[in-house]
Amino acid sequence: MALRLGAHITTADTEYGTVLLDQRSGEYWELNPTGTLILRTLLDGGDEQDATDALIAEFDIDRSRGSQDVAELLTQLRSCGLVS
């Protein structure tokens, strides 16, 4: 199943990435371009491997670093209740 934002989460793209707003708590999270690319890839139906591949292509990083970045962001998004 594809990653989904919680029903209470809204997003806004900025010139620096994406801002997520939890409408229940009023808390904001700001994603940099790396985080934005990961989130968009996953929301568009990609898996963690697809997100890693997108990072490698866009930012010229090694696979280990890309995979770590994807895993860390997913852990943070889930622990904050932003995605399911």
Side-chain angles (χ1 to χ4, degrees):
M1 177 177 276
L3 187 78
R4 295 182 323 160
L5 290 173
H8 57 281
I9 304 299
T10 57
T11 65
D13 292 330
T14 70
E15 63 184 280
Y16 303 109
T18 301
V19 175
L20 306 173
L21 168 63
D22 183 335
Q23 295 178 356
R24 295 179 306 185
S25 68
E27 291 183 88
Y28 287 89
W29 288 265
E30 185 174 354
L31 300 179
N32 63 18
T34 301
T36 296
L37 179 58
I38 294 168
L39 181 62
R40 292 287 172 222
T41 301
L42 296 171
L43 290 175
D44 288 345
D47 60 16
E48 291 183 45
Q49 183 66 46
D50 295 324
T52 300
D53 292 342
L55 286 181
I56 291 168
E58 181 70 23
F59 297 106
D60 192 32
I61 60 173
D62 64 57
R63 182 157 302 279
S64 174
R65 176 59 192 234
S67 180
Q68 179 182 359
D69 287 351
V70 170
E72 287 177 5
L73 181 61
L74 274 173
T75 297
Q76 291 173 352
L77 292 172
R78 287 182 175 133
S79 71
C80 293
L82 301 174
V83 297
S84 58

